[in-house]
Amino acid sequence: MPSSSCGIAVEPALVKAVLPGGDSLTSATQKPNGGTIRCNLYVDSKLVLSLAQAWWSEGQTTAAVAPAYPGTKDGTMSEDERFIYSGEAGVGRTVSSCKVAGHPEQDLYIAVETRESGVDDPDAIEKLLVAYTKAVEGSAACR
């Protein structure tokens, strides 16, 4: 397990906990639009996990953003309402100080989505989501 996923440092054990077994792990970065960067992880050439950074209009809530990620349906909301997660996916809002000139009046959200991996572990998704969100907050993505 690498110590970073597409340039974002996160504890390897947290990533491994949401991956199925296999022989090889590869990653690829996608930029499907001007406001999203997606890190896709593949086990044995099969897409199994997507970690996304997506800019949304300022003032949205995690509950409003979550429906864009179907795996969060019927998910659990954190007490501070920054995170919502299920056994298969989660969405988190970065801190309000996460601002960059290229995305004025927008907030950065993080999405963690398993893809046909057979993983259904809300605790593992929550831990990875919170850790990945904090790692992005400390990266160039928020400066």
Side-chain angles (χ1 to χ4, degrees), residues 31-38 52-61 65 68-69 91-111 136-137 139-143:
K31 295 182 180 180
N33 58 51
T36 302
I37 297 174
R38 188 175 292 131
Q53 302 170 39
W55 290 95
W56 286 73
S57 298
E58 200 170 49
Q60 296 290 323
T61 63
V65 171
Y69 304 94
V91 172
R93 185 180 73 240
T94 59
V95 290
S96 59
S97 59
C98 179
K99 297 289 181 196
V100 295
H103 295 280
E105 299 179 24
Q106 290 185 309
D107 293 324
L108 184 60
Y109 282 82
I110 305 305
V136 169
E137 288 170 347
S139 77
C142 281
R143 284 185 237 122

Side-chain angles (χ1 to χ4, degrees), residues 15 18-19 39-41 47-51 112-114 128:
V15 177
V18 300
L19 296 178
C39 178
N40 291 324
L41 299 180
L47 176 60
V48 293
L49 182 67
S50 178
L51 304 168
V112 171
E113 297 177 279
T114 58
L128 176 58

Side-chain angles (χ1 to χ4, degrees), residues 68-89:
Y69 304 94
T72 62
K73 185 175 183 343
D74 300 324
T76 301
M77 179 72 74
S78 64
E79 201 169 290
D80 62 5
E81 298 188 352
R82 280 185 58 200
F83 303 97
I84 188 168
Y85 56 90
S86 71
E88 300 170 349

Side-chain angles (χ1 to χ4, degrees), residues 6 23 116 122 124 136:
C6 302
D23 295 324
E116 297 180 39
V136 169

